[in-house]
Amino acid sequence: MASSHTVLMRLVASAYSIAQKAGAIVRRVIAEGDLGIVQKTSATDLQTKADRLVQVSICSSLSRKFPKLTIIGEEDLPSGEVDPELIEDGQWEEVLKQPCPSQYRTIKEEDLVVWVDPLDGTKEYTEGLLDNVTVLIGIAYEGKAIAGIINQPYYNYESHEKQMLRGHRSAATAGPDALLGRTIWGVLGLGAFGFQLKEAPVGKHIITTTRSHSNKLVTDCISAMNPDDVLRVGGAGNKIIQLIEGKASAYVFASPGCKKWDTCAPEVILHAVGGKLTDIHGNALQYDKDVKHMNSAGVLATLRNYDYYASRVPESVKSALIP
Ligand code: AMP
Ligand code: MG
Ligand code: MG
């Protein structure tokens, strides 16, 4: 019997389960101890065994179930047989309980583009800053990011470790503090789930930005925003989580470097709760399959008060960043 659920909601439900498996792979590679680090374009542009395995896991799992999707992932896919252990076939039932927004009910599989960042925050992953890491699956339709899934494999790891040290070996005996990792998901017009929305302190300018890819444009732009505090953390997914959980008021990255797979899923989560993500000029980002991957004109994102930050971007920074 054909499923009564729409293609979009079935895809999101599958991507949720696939992102959870991805999180487990990210943890397993750390537990096994051999990260298999490879340099890509520079010493701050790295790939690990986890980036490679998760890329295969996500892309193969999605394309087996949804063969007509366009899937664009950060890493190159190796040729050859896929280890069946990497395939996830489940779908998260909580997603299927939600209604598909009416404007997306007739979307066909071949109309969707999926942007995959198997591991966002790789530099930080290699340095043991594990809670900076996320797995990002973004879904675009007609060039617009409309659905997104973020798995944060090491969410809650400090409480988890404490509980384990107290002798609780399983989540069943240890209670909710012991749960390691989480999945946040959202669809435009429906909302975002899997976290508690919180606003940053009113009247304070707390800026979150890169810790490993900074340069003069990035720091000039932030200085012009009169920050009360600057948080330098890894990962685009992680920085959007800081915005929706009230830890930062703006994500500012006035530089090329960030790609479509970094922004697609995080943008949806932010937009689904009323925030805004653009390039540094204020242009919406495009996610068609033929678009260039680089977000050449940087990223500016807020949950509230977007206009203040946009108005502070110096002309010198704008003219240096061509979309
Ligand atoms: P960051 O805020 O530095 O963690 O960057 C967010 C995302 O953009 C990560 O996936 C980075 O790998 C990527 N990124 C940003 N700047 C660069 C760069 N200069 N070279 C390579 N990747 C970058
Ligand atoms: Mg990334
Ligand atoms: Mg990555």
Side-chain angles (χ1 to χ4, degrees):
M1 195 184 83
S3 165
S4 61
H5 299 289
T6 62
V7 169
L8 179 66
M9 296 311 281
R10 283 196 298 114
L11 175 57
V12 174
S14 294
Y16 186 112
S17 296
I18 291 167
Q20 283 198 310
K21 173 157 200 125
I25 297 170
V26 169
R27 289 189 294 265
R28 195 187 76 211
V29 170
I30 287 282
E32 289 173 355
D34 174 17
L35 291 192
I37 300 169
V38 172
Q39 269 195 27
K40 295 200 288 184
T41 60
S42 71
T44 57
D45 189 12
L46 305 177
Q47 185 197 64
T48 69
K49 185 177 171 187
D51 300 65
R52 295 187 286 276
L53 288 176
V54 171
Q55 168 90 20
V56 173
S57 175
I58 295 177
C59 297
S60 310
S61 301
L62 283 176
S63 64
R64 282 189 193 193
K65 232 175 186 172
F66 302 94
K68 294 183 198 148
L69 283 180
T70 300
I71 305 173
I72 306 173
E74 176 174 6
E75 314 302 341
D76 291 334
L77 270 180
S79 55
E81 287 283 294
V82 175
D83 178 354
E85 290 274 308
L86 294 175
I87 300 297
E88 170 61 50
D89 188 43
Q91 49 181 14
W92 196 250
E93 292 298 324
E94 292 300 314
V95 173
L96 295 174
K97 287 182 191 156
Q98 297 286 341
C100 183
S102 57
Q103 66 272 33
Y104 303 141
R105 279 194 197 130
T106 55
I107 292 181
K108 296 197 283 295
E109 204 176 300
E110 53 270 39
D111 300 333
L112 292 167
V113 181
V114 183
W115 293 90
V116 177
D117 188 342
L119 199 161
D120 180 48
T122 301
K123 182 79 168 53
E124 286 69 28
Y125 182 65
T126 64
E127 294 172 19
L129 297 168
L130 298 176
D131 54 355
N132 287 195
V133 167
T134 57
V135 174
L136 306 174
I137 305 178
I139 300 168
Y141 172 63
E142 295 184 334
K144 197 170 162 191
I146 64 163
I149 298 91
I150 301 180
N151 182 278
Q152 192 178 21
Y154 285 94
Y155 171 70
N156 207 23
Y157 79 105
E158 282 167 347
S159 307
H160 174 80
E161 270 173 17
K162 273 190 213 133
Q163 291 272 336
M164 292 298 123
L165 286 172
R166 279 193 209 120
H168 295 289
R169 292 275 158 236
S170 76
T173 59
D177 280 355
L179 292 178
L180 182 60
R182 64 170 163 179
T183 305
I184 293 170
W185 68 281
V187 178
L188 287 195
L190 176 64
F193 309 88
F195 65 99
Q196 202 71 48
L197 184 67
K198 193 170 167 214
E199 304 210 1
V202 178
K204 283 217 156 171
H205 304 137
I206 306 170
I207 295 181
T208 183
T209 191
T210 183
R211 70 176 276 282
S212 55
H213 302 101
S214 196
N215 56 42
K216 186 163 184 306
L217 280 176
V218 171
T219 51
D220 282 354
C221 191
I222 292 170
S223 307
M225 292 172 170
N226 201 15
D228 293 294
D229 202 358
V230 181
L231 311 176
R232 298 181 197 282
V233 300
N238 183 36
K239 286 190 263 294
I240 294 299
I241 292 174
Q242 289 189 316
L243 295 183
I244 60 176
E245 294 193 323
K247 299 203 173 75
S249 17
Y251 168 14
V252 182
F253 184 59
S255 169
C258 204
K259 324 292 188 312
K260 298 295 174 194
W261 45 75
D262 291 304
T263 46
C264 188
E267 170 180 327
V268 173
I269 305 299
L270 187 64
H271 286 179
V273 293
K276 186 165 173 178
L277 183 148
T278 65
D279 72 11
I280 218 76
H281 301 276
N283 301 314
L285 301 185
Q286 299 299 319
Y287 296 94
D288 318 74
K289 66 174 165 30
D290 301 318
V291 82
K292 75 173 170 182
H293 297 164
M294 184 71 83
N295 291 317
S296 310
V299 177
L300 176 63
T302 68
L303 177 61
R304 306 277 181 259
N305 213 8
Y306 173 89
D307 291 346
Y308 167 78
Y309 295 95
S311 73
R312 290 283 177 142
V313 178
E315 285 306 320
S316 58
V317 169
K318 284 188 182 165
S319 56
L321 293 172
I322 317 294

